[in-house]
Structure formats: structure tokens, C-alpha cells
Amino acid sequence: MTKPAAREPQRRNSRSNRARILAAARQELAFHPDTTLEEIARAAGVVRRTVYGHFPGRTALLDALAEEAARSLAAAVRAAGAAGGPGEAADRALARFVLTIWPVGDRYRMLISLARRDLGHERIAEVLAPAREATGAVLARGQAAGLFRTRVPAPVLAAALEALTLSLLESVGRGAWKDDGRATAVTALMAVGVPAERAESEVRALAETPGALGAHGDGT
């Protein structure tokens, strides 16, 4: 009988292969959405059979990336909340939130276009749910404090900001413009009624203060 200790190297190798496949998929699909599993296998340095051993098809691979993105986004949401604390002003909290989640959105932006075709809107809605809920809470707090416009209910406004952020990420993906999250954070603040000068000041203060955004893992 094979001892459990003898199987552990195989498990580690399997986990390593899976991580390499997902990393290669993120890289390849970001630039070439129609990349095949065979091409991803080559990029990952494994044979095609290894890819199919982990992911029986393209949809399964994309769903694994979506799950990875969901964990990363949830970690970023927690990091933003922990870094700011419950007493942080809503405009500063919204700026912090956008800046903290931007790297996650940038990393997985290829899912935005692929999801509509391969995974469907409901799956992506699941991925984005933690961010949408956190945004809605910040917006409701800001509206109650008189910092944000109140004509649009917070949940609806949160959905609008989500669409805006996704659109800007798509623009970055197409090479239409460049952003590290700062311009998007300023735009989000202005969209909810924060004057431009204050929006720029809040974002600048956060972006230029070491450790102000906290740290989060990738959730993998």
C-alpha cells in the first residue's frame, strides 16, 4: 500500500501545476481572449493533458479564474474596511475602497468581456457582490452625513459606480487610457457629488501615504 507521505509530493506537484495554469491563463487571456487551452498549456509549460486534468474545458478554467477573482476581491474589501475603520469619513472611505480594489480589477479585467460570453452575468454578479455591498454601505453612510447626493438610492448608486468602474477597466484593457486607480477614484467621488478639488485631495492623500491602503492577499 502506498504511504500517505509518498503521495504528498504528487499533491504538491498537482497544486503547483494548477497555479501555473491559472497564472498563464490570466496572462494569455488578458491579451488574447480567444486563447485556446492548448496555447495556455504551452504558456504554463505543461502538456495539454495536464490542463484537461484540472479543467475539463474552457468554461471550467474561466470559472476557476472567477472564483480566484472573487476571493481576491473579498480580501481587498476586507482590507479596505480594516484600514479605514468604521469611523472614517465616507468620502475618504470610498476613495480608499476604489484604490484598494483597483489592482484586483486590473488583474482580472479580462473576465469582464469573457464573462458575458462564457460565464454569464449571474456568475460575475456573484464575484462582484462583496464589492457592491461594501460600496452601498459607504454610499448610504455618506448620504446620511450629507457628503453624497441623495437623489439616487444607495444600492442603485452602487450599481452605477460598479458599471462605471468596469467600463474604465475595459478602457485600460483596450489601451484607450492608463490609470493606476487614482483617476477612477476621483471620478467615483465626483459622480456621487464630491467637489473635484476635494476628490482629488482625498485620493492624493491616500495614494501618497505609505501603508494608508493596507495590505491584502490575492485570496488564492
Side-chain angles (χ1 to χ4, degrees), residues 122-195:
E122 289 186 3
R123 182 68 177 104
I124 294 307
E126 293 176 3
V127 172
L128 298 175
R132 189 183 311 115
E133 292 171 4
T135 303
V138 171
L139 292 174
R141 185 154 56 86
Q143 288 179 333
L147 294 172
F148 301 155
R149 294 191 180 99
T150 58
R151 291 189 177 183
V152 179
V156 179
L157 192 55
L161 287 183
E162 176 185 295
L164 173 64
T165 302
L166 291 177
S167 178
L168 293 177
L169 278 167
E170 284 187 313
S171 295
V172 171
R174 293 195 308 270
W177 77 318
K178 294 182 180 181
D179 186 26
D180 60 0
R182 299 189 194 195
T184 296
V186 171
T187 302
L189 287 174
M190 291 175 62
V192 299
V194 178

